[in-house]
Amino acid sequence: MKTQHLHIQGRVQGVWFRESMRREAERLGVTGWVRNTPDGAVEAVVQGSDDAVDALISWAHAGPPMARVERITQSDAQGQFSSFEKRVD
């Protein structure tokens, strides 16, 4: 089981990034969460098999069609998740 924290910067708010990531995570069988941050970025914790997490991170480098991802900072994370949720906090 692989768990990664992502900080995704660029034009990622207001372009359906969170909902698109939630759908892609569900398709891949990845659990965790995604939310907007006050600095205009998107933050996520993703958990699953190595291949599934790597596939979701690869997807995040492009995001949905209207997004323009400039940089993703990635680090190891902790936690246990049973689903993937879009947070609004």
Side-chain angles (χ1 to χ4, degrees):
M1 188 72 66
K2 183 176 187 175
T3 307
Q4 294 289 292
H5 176 265
L6 309 175
H7 188 255
I8 306 159
Q9 296 173 290
R11 186 168 151 229
V12 293
Q13 290 189 13
V15 294
W16 290 91
F17 198 100
R18 291 176 302 146
E19 178 60 19
S20 297
M21 182 177 233
R22 185 193 64 77
R23 290 178 184 181
E24 187 67 10
E26 286 185 355
R27 186 184 76 77
L28 293 167
V30 172
T31 60
W33 53 264
V34 62
R35 68 179 175 191
N36 287 338
T37 61
D39 65 357
V42 168
E43 178 183 29
V45 172
V46 297
Q47 182 175 74
S49 70
D50 287 356
D51 289 345
V53 168
D54 290 345
L56 186 58
I57 292 169
S58 180
W59 173 89
H61 278 279
M66 296 295 290
R68 296 295 174 264
V69 177
E70 294 172 4
R71 180 174 29 161
I72 296 180
T73 305
Q74 180 179 339
S75 60
D76 290 337
Q78 301 292 318
Q80 289 283 62
F81 308 97
S82 59
S83 63
F84 195 92
E85 66 181 41
K86 180 177 69 172
R87 295 184 175 175
V88 292
D89 51 11

